[in-house]
Amino acid sequence: MPLGSLPAHGTEQCVLRLAGDSTMQDVDPQKNPDFGWGQLLPELAQPQTRVVNYAKGGRSSKTFLAEQRWQNLLDDTAAGDWVLIQFGHNDASYNKPERYTAPVDYEANLRRFVRDVRARQANPVLITPVARRHFDSEGKLRDMHGIYPSLVHRVSREMQVPLIDLFASSSKLLLQLGQLESIKLYVHIGPGEHPCCPEGRMDNTHFTRSGARAMAALVVDDIQRNGPLALAACLRTDTSTGARLDNKAAKSSSTNHTMATGKDTE
């Protein structure tokens, strides 16, 4: 059963359903030290909003469909619901054929998601994949997603679907924080700090709790600035500072980094 914020029965006016991968999923903190940003989204929602998170680690748009996870979401979806869709991390994993989705198929899957949601008189929202923390030797942030974010833009434009450009906003945040301060967003733990990882873990993909909340705040900020008014009304308006772990650190960090291209997708 997906987790989420559950208002008293009959009080919710907004329902947000989330489809995505580990960067969005709910995680049991007793088992793993990372959090998905969808897990923290309820903290940034209005009291009348219910957030239901179907995201699952390791899933691409292809496997989310093949495992009937998308169908489960659709079966629960009612007219007027909002469905936030974020894939790309695992679709781009060409070294993992079980989850890899060729760009042409990834785009086709996004279009199917949009059509399916609209067929239920609900509201699709597309989200570009969130950035990974990979800096090169010159301090430039490497683009680990290649063509995939641009395909989300194209589907959004051609099908007239609201778009949250989380890839752009999270990349900007990493650059503002810089190579060292941005570590606070991601799971970097030493040996023995968590029972899941006796030898420690250096993870530049998955978030700490504060990192996940920062990413959720970026999503909310984008919706408040650019999204449909009806969706914005489901969310709080006081979240802009949530996207900054440490304003002082962000201001003191170098902002002269630029993006560099990279081929590996982790």
Side-chain angles (χ1 to χ4, degrees):
M1 178 68 68
L3 302 176
S5 69
L6 298 173
H9 180 71
T11 64
E12 66 266 19
Q13 298 176 16
C14 299
V15 178
L16 278 57
R17 303 189 186 277
L18 312 183
D21 54 36
S22 59
T23 63
M24 181 193 263
Q25 73 174 347
D26 292 328
V27 183
D28 183 347
Q30 299 300 317
K31 297 180 179 179
N32 282 290
D34 56 289
F35 292 77
W37 66 258
Q39 188 169 1
L40 276 295
L41 188 59
E43 295 186 2
L44 308 182
Q46 295 286 3
Q48 75 274 15
T49 298
R50 181 162 65 106
V51 180
V52 191
N53 197 349
Y54 300 78
K56 186 68 175 177
R59 272 56 183 185
S60 61
S61 63
K62 177 177 72 175
T63 56
F64 204 81
L65 282 164
E67 296 175 359
Q68 300 298 306
R69 296 179 185 277
W70 178 248
Q71 188 60 53
N72 291 338
L73 181 154
L74 288 177
D75 290 344
D76 294 339
T77 299
D81 288 357
W82 295 91
V83 181
L84 279 58
I85 303 162
Q86 179 210 258
F87 291 97
H89 267 281
N90 298 305
D91 296 83
S93 298
Y94 57 83
N95 58 334
K96 297 179 180 179
E98 72 280 2
R99 63 178 68 169
Y100 172 69
T101 314
V104 64
D105 297 320
Y106 173 72
E107 183 175 353
N109 290 342
L110 293 182
R111 292 180 184 276
R112 172 179 172 177
F113 293 153
V114 170
R115 290 193 301 268
D116 286 349
V117 172
R118 286 176 169 169
R120 283 158 175 76
Q121 299 183 326
N123 307 291
V125 178
L126 294 175
I127 307 176
T128 54
V130 65
R132 285 187 167 109
R133 181 188 167 275
H134 284 285
F135 289 86
D136 66 15
S137 60
E138 298 179 354
K140 297 177 181 178
L141 186 63
R142 300 181 66 191
D143 176 1
M144 308 302 294
H145 295 297
I147 194 175
Y148 290 84
S150 68
L151 295 177
V152 184
H153 279 268
R154 182 158 72 185
V155 174
S156 168
R157 181 175 62 253
E158 294 182 358
M159 300 188 75
Q160 296 295 295
V161 184
L163 173 72
I164 298 169
D165 196 351
L166 186 55
F167 176 70
S169 60
S170 59
S171 296
K172 181 179 179 181
L173 177 60
L174 290 178
L175 292 170
Q176 287 175 337
L177 291 174
Q179 190 166 1
L180 294 179
E181 289 296 331
S182 61
I183 290 175
K184 296 177 181 179
L185 295 168
Y186 295 83
V187 178
H188 284 231
I189 56 177
E193 290 186 22
H194 194 281
C196 85
C197 318
E199 298 180 359
R201 178 170 155 189
M202 304 289 282
D203 186 337
N204 292 305
T205 295
H206 301 100
F207 307 114
T208 59
R209 191 185 193 284
S210 58
R213 193 182 188 281
M215 298 304 162
L218 290 176
V219 171
V220 173
D221 291 347
D222 195 321
I223 292 170
Q224 294 291 0
R225 290 194 309 271
N226 307 309
L229 293 177
L231 176 57
C234 301
L235 303 163
R236 285 168 39 193
T237 59
D238 58 343
T239 63
S240 59
T241 55
R244 296 162 182 82
L245 289 181
D246 187 333
N247 283 328
K248 182 177 180 181
K251 291 178 181 178
S252 65
S253 298
S254 172
T255 58
N256 295 322
H257 301 300
T258 57
M259 293 292 290
T261 57
K263 293 184 178 180
D264 54 302
T265 58
E266 196 173 85

